[in-house]
Amino acid sequence: HIGNEHGLLFHFNHTPVSAQSPISIASEMKLINAALAMRLVELDYVGLDDLLSNWLPWWPTALTDSRSGITFRHCLSFTTGFYAPTDIPVQLDGRPYSFDSLSGPLFQWRENSCKHLSTMRCARKVLKSTPHIAPPGELWTYTTDHLRLSAAVMVAATGQTFNKLLRTHVFDRTSPRMQTTIPYPDYKFWNPGSNVYSTARDYQSFLDAYFNGRLVSAASQQIIESDEVLDVRVRWFIGAPRVGRPEDVGNFGFGVWRSVPKLRKLNPGWCGYEQPCSFAPSHYESTAVLVRSWGEEAPKVCRWKHSQSCKFYYHIQNFGTDISVNAFNRNQQLCAQVENMVSRILSGASDPWSCVHWTAEDKQVISATNNVPEVQRGLCLKKSEVSTQREFGFRGPNPSIVQPAPGCDPCWCCQRPRFDIHLE
């Protein structure tokens, strides 16, 4: 699915699957949780900088306990200072290798321990069982424990269950309504960051409503998609520490990853080749991408021909069973290709070619020679060199000496308006 400010632009599926086929969206649930959180902030139920102890009476308050300083914002940005050892490979949770050799009751916490625990009981378990290894705001770790705490705050602030909040403030406010997004069958309660089934149609409804400001305001979207690890000293991911972050490069918002062209010049990735993006990849099965920029990163003027915003979103679901590194890389490459293709289409850079209408002067030059094709090619090349508004291409019987302009046959010289997908 691909869409922008005009709604859904394109969708494609390959049988036997359809837009209604269920698939695990895993980490794409994190963006749904972020949208719900900011909706409640907008309604003044809770503040981003509220301490957890404001809403959870059993939360530590002693100044000597670093957990007392954790805020709602820390939970949404994964900077509470908690980490969660698990019984699955360390790569999936960002657990520091330095803790691998530890054992005992304190380190028996499991990501799936909350399958049958209510939101509040699950948050209590995080407090009891998950080590707090850094002051809030100093350490970033990729674990759902942060969002389990955020869910508890939302439940406490509203007096409603997490399921009720999701349906009232997200699912029932999309068009069409989200009806097929559900927890895994063996989960009695929602995991706010994963373990969820959905369909392409349901998640597209969410993305379109979110992208176009029908769930939360543009100001809230900017907060969700902006860099929240500016001041983080260490990030733990894929089992190894990364000190700080790449210079001048965004990394993580409220449950969503970020990328910018400067980072993509260093190495390939999911998106961000032409302009900043936010994305939620779910292993090898599903990826949601928001290609747009905010604030100082945003272009001063959008000069794209078919978009007033220079922004779009897309959602890819892969129903294959290949979970190899090659499959991971192929999905990244597919995302990069989609970003480039949609940017070229919306900018006008891929608009159809049309035949050049020769001027009277051109016709006079052409009629003065017997080598008409070569003369026409030369005239076309000259136009290409001097024009800043149009680009020119050639079609002819000898592909080795002409510049292709697809769809322009039988013209010798073809033209189209020049639109650059790059933004300034």
Side-chain angles (χ1 to χ4, degrees):
H1 289 87
I2 300 170
N4 66 355
E5 67 268 21
H6 302 297
L8 180 64
L9 299 177
F10 172 85
H11 71 92
F12 170 81
N13 67 273
H14 191 280
T15 55
V17 299
S18 72
Q20 294 289 62
S21 299
I23 192 172
S24 172
I25 61 170
S27 287
E28 288 174 274
M29 180 63 190
K30 294 177 173 65
L31 180 58
I32 294 177
N33 183 79
L36 171 60
M38 290 308 301
R39 170 69 173 168
L40 297 184
V41 170
E42 289 181 348
L43 294 176
D44 206 27
Y45 278 107
V46 62
L48 283 176
D49 296 313
D50 286 359
L51 292 171
L52 265 59
S53 56
N54 289 5
W55 299 106
L56 308 177
W58 36 266
W59 196 262
T61 57
L63 296 180
T64 54
D65 190 327
S66 60
R67 297 172 298 182
S68 66
I70 296 175
T71 65
F72 192 47
R73 184 190 301 271
H74 290 136
C75 297
L76 297 172
S77 62
F78 289 32
T79 57
T80 65
F82 284 107
Y83 89 100
T86 72
D87 57 351
I88 57 178
V90 64
Q91 286 82 356
L92 295 182
D93 198 47
R95 174 163 57 107
Y97 280 143
S98 58
F99 287 94
D100 281 0
S101 61
L102 297 179
S103 61
L106 182 63
F107 296 91
Q108 295 305 308
W109 165 252
R110 298 289 182 264
E111 276 287 295
N112 61 8
S113 288
C114 285
K115 289 197 296 186
H116 304 292
L117 295 181
S118 67
T119 302
M120 207 61 68
R121 289 180 62 197
C122 180
R124 283 179 173 269
K125 191 171 183 66
V126 172
L127 176 65
K128 178 181 178 181
S129 305
T130 307
H132 195 240
I133 62 174
E138 297 286 320
L139 173 72
W140 178 91
T141 56
Y142 195 68
T143 167
T144 309
D145 282 347
H146 309 290
L147 300 188
R148 290 188 170 107
L149 297 176
S150 76
V153 169
M154 289 186 273
V155 167
T158 61
Q160 299 179 21
T161 66
F162 192 70
N163 180 68
K164 176 67 172 177
L165 291 174
L166 281 175
R167 302 203 176 281
T168 301
H169 297 287
V170 180
F171 296 174
D172 289 347
R173 298 177 60 233
T174 65
S175 181
R177 291 173 58 248
M178 296 173 67
Q179 297 180 321
T180 55
T181 302
I182 57 175
Y184 284 177
D186 56 338
Y187 275 70
K188 185 177 180 181
F189 296 94
W190 288 89
N191 179 339
S194 189
N195 305 122
V196 173
Y197 281 124
S198 187
T199 62
R201 182 170 296 173
D202 232 34
Y203 204 83
Q204 191 276 329
S205 291
F206 164 73
L207 265 188
D208 193 76
Y210 170 78
F211 182 89
N212 286 302
R214 297 196 299 274
L215 294 181
V216 292
S217 66
S220 290
Q221 293 170 51
Q222 181 174 354
I223 292 173
I224 290 172
E225 298 168 35
S226 294
D227 187 7
E228 285 290 329
V229 295
L230 277 168
D231 301 315
V232 169
R233 297 176 62 183
V234 177
R235 296 180 293 127
W236 284 105
F237 187 67
I238 313 181
R242 302 175 183 178
V243 177
R245 62 180 192 140
E247 183 180 2
D248 299 325
V249 171
N251 184 258
F252 204 76
F254 280 0
V256 292
W257 295 88
R258 302 183 73 252
S259 181
V260 295
K262 184 173 183 178
L263 180 59
R264 292 287 73 91
K265 290 178 181 179
L266 299 176
N267 52 67
W270 294 100
C271 59
Y273 290 87
E274 306 299 337
Q275 61 173 308
C277 70
S278 301
F279 62 103
S282 294
H283 306 309
Y284 308 90
E285 292 187 303
S286 188
T287 305
V289 180
L290 304 158
V291 180
R292 61 181 174 184
S293 46
W294 300 94
E296 295 181 357
E297 293 180 330
K300 296 180 177 61
V301 179
C302 176
R303 293 188 172 87
W304 283 5
K305 183 179 179 181
H306 306 295
S307 171
Q308 298 176 340
S309 67
C310 292
K311 303 173 182 178
F312 60 93
Y313 68 84
Y314 61 92
H315 181 229
I316 296 173
Q317 289 189 321
N318 171 29
F319 285 82
T321 58
D322 186 356
I323 58 172
S324 66
V325 173
N326 288 336
F328 182 88
N329 292 335
R330 285 197 302 271
N331 280 347
Q332 280 197 343
Q333 293 166 7
L334 177 59
C335 282
Q337 291 169 358
V338 169
E339 179 183 346
N340 180 266
M341 175 192 70
V342 177
S343 296
R344 291 187 62 83
I345 292 173
L346 294 181
S347 68
S350 293
D351 276 10
W353 297 88
S354 63
C355 291
V356 167
H357 296 286
W358 300 112
T359 65
E361 184 180 353
D362 293 333
K363 292 177 180 178
Q364 185 176 5
V365 173
I366 294 170
S367 64
T369 178
N370 293 326
N371 192 1
V372 173
E374 279 301 308
V375 172
Q376 289 191 6
R377 193 167 72 89
L379 288 172
C380 208
L381 180 62
K382 184 177 180 180
K383 292 178 182 292
S384 180
E385 291 173 347
V386 300
S387 176
T388 59
Q389 301 300 316
R390 293 182 176 274
E391 58 179 324
F392 294 85
F394 311 97
R395 294 294 289 177
N398 189 345
S400 65
I401 65 169
V402 299
Q403 174 184 340
C408 196
D409 290 331
C411 300
W412 255 99
C413 187
C414 315
Q415 66 177 347
R416 63 182 176 186
R418 185 184 298 277
F419 289 94
D420 195 345
I421 65 175
H422 303 289
L423 303 173
E424 297 179 355

